[in-house]
Amino acid sequence: MTRILLCGCFGKMGRVITQLVADRPDCEITAGVDLQCDPNAAFPTYTDIYAVQETVDVIIDFSHPSLLSPILGYAAQNGGIPVVLCTTGYSSEQVEALKAAAETQPIFYSRNMSLGINLLIELSKKAAKVLGDQFDIEIIEKHHNQKIDAPSGTALMLADAISSVREGETQYMYDRHAQRKKREKNEIGLHAVRGGTIVGEHEVIFAGNHEVITLSHSAQSKELFAVGAVNAAVFMCGKAPGLYDMSAMI
């Protein structure tokens, strides 16, 4: 039985994970951390991760980027508890910090926990290799009107993956309306749409001469991200120090 400490337990994703874990026989939520405690919760809750008293096997984080440092610190202080980081919006400095932490403790980091999205990433890399610089690449992402960061972490994952297989330096173009010039070959355009209750849609457009290839993924429910996070938590239990992601799990 994998004992989980859930950070962001009363957020949207935290509540979905709580419901999901309740129906699984291989894991349980031993404690939770959020801005407020709830005496009626199904498990003990805390506002400070360092106040957690229960023994846990792994931490799932769906909270806020500002909590990265205390989460990593608590995990290290308690014998290198594996951490599954699902929060988006980390700064480049924070990403470097979690990579450094992975040298001494097991860290699972993915900006999207969906198996389908990770397949989309691999397909986009393959397309970029085959099509080369003869096709312009644009990425469009759509999310609900409550999402704060833009572009989404997943859109950046897609852009980074495509860049890794292209020759030369790639330039990300976020604000094309401010540019009064023709599109450069080395650009990847990233566009964010925010509205309604869209769970998450990502589209990669390869536009060539007289033909367009489009790869897309549409999330219908937040549950798919919760399933990925819980599966990652069970997978990470007992793992050696290192940086893990979806490719390691699948």
Side-chain angles (χ1 to χ4, degrees):
M1 178 71 73
T2 300
R3 296 167 294 185
I4 299 170
L5 170 58
L6 179 57
C7 295
C9 58
F10 298 137
K12 291 181 180 179
M13 286 305 304
R15 294 184 186 278
V16 175
I17 288 176
T18 299
Q19 294 175 357
L20 177 66
V21 171
D23 295 328
R24 290 183 57 145
D26 58 345
C27 55
E28 65 178 0
I29 299 177
T30 304
V33 177
D34 212 303
L35 293 175
Q36 295 181 340
C37 293
D38 183 355
N40 298 317
F43 44 82
T45 60
Y46 303 85
T47 57
D48 180 0
I49 191 171
Y50 286 102
V52 174
Q53 301 176 9
E54 288 70 24
T55 300
V56 300
D57 300 312
V58 63
I59 300 170
I60 295 178
D61 175 41
F62 262 114
S63 58
H64 189 272
S66 62
L67 294 182
L68 176 64
S69 181
I71 289 171
L72 294 178
Y74 174 84
Q77 181 177 295
N78 286 273
I81 301 171
V83 181
V84 178
L85 297 170
C86 309
T87 299
T88 62
Y90 290 135
S91 66
S92 57
E93 291 79 10
Q94 287 177 308
V95 172
E96 291 305 313
L98 70 87
K99 289 180 179 179
E103 296 178 4
T104 57
Q105 59 194 100
I107 305 292
F108 187 104
Y109 173 54
S110 177
R111 287 175 284 191
N112 192 298
M113 302 301 296
S114 161
L115 178 62
I117 278 291
N118 284 274
L119 177 58
L120 175 64
I121 290 171
E122 294 304 315
L123 292 173
S124 298
K125 288 170 63 177
K126 178 65 174 179
K129 285 182 181 179
V130 173
L131 301 175
D133 65 358
Q134 299 305 305
F135 282 68
D136 298 323
I137 302 173
E138 298 284 310
I139 298 172
I140 302 173
E141 56 95 348
K142 304 174 184 177
H143 285 86
H144 54 86
N145 57 21
Q146 300 301 302
K147 185 171 179 61
I148 297 174
D149 57 312
S152 68
T154 302
L156 291 172
M157 283 178 66
L158 285 161
D160 290 346
I162 292 170
S163 296
S164 71
V165 299
R166 301 184 82 192
E167 295 185 1
E169 184 177 351
T170 301
Q171 177 184 358
Y172 294 172
M173 179 62 67
Y174 303 101
D175 192 16
R176 196 174 297 284
H177 84 276
Q179 305 293 322
R180 302 295 296 175
K181 63 178 184 178
K182 294 182 179 179
R183 189 188 197 284
E184 302 290 342
K185 279 291 185 182
N186 67 339
E187 291 178 7
I188 294 180
L190 292 110
H191 312 278
V193 175
R194 296 290 177 267
T197 58
I198 302 172
V199 175
E201 298 181 8
H202 292 84
E203 184 176 7
V204 185
I205 301 170
F206 296 87
N209 290 326
H210 312 299
E211 61 179 333
V212 175
I213 300 170
T214 302
L215 302 175
S216 64
H217 176 273
S218 178
Q220 303 298 317
S221 168
K222 289 181 179 293
E223 184 172 335
L224 70 93
F225 306 119
V227 170
V230 175
N231 286 341
V234 174
F235 167 78
M236 288 296 290
C237 189
K239 285 291 186 291
L243 186 61
Y244 300 79
D245 58 17
M246 285 292 290
S247 63
M249 189 172 71
I250 62 178

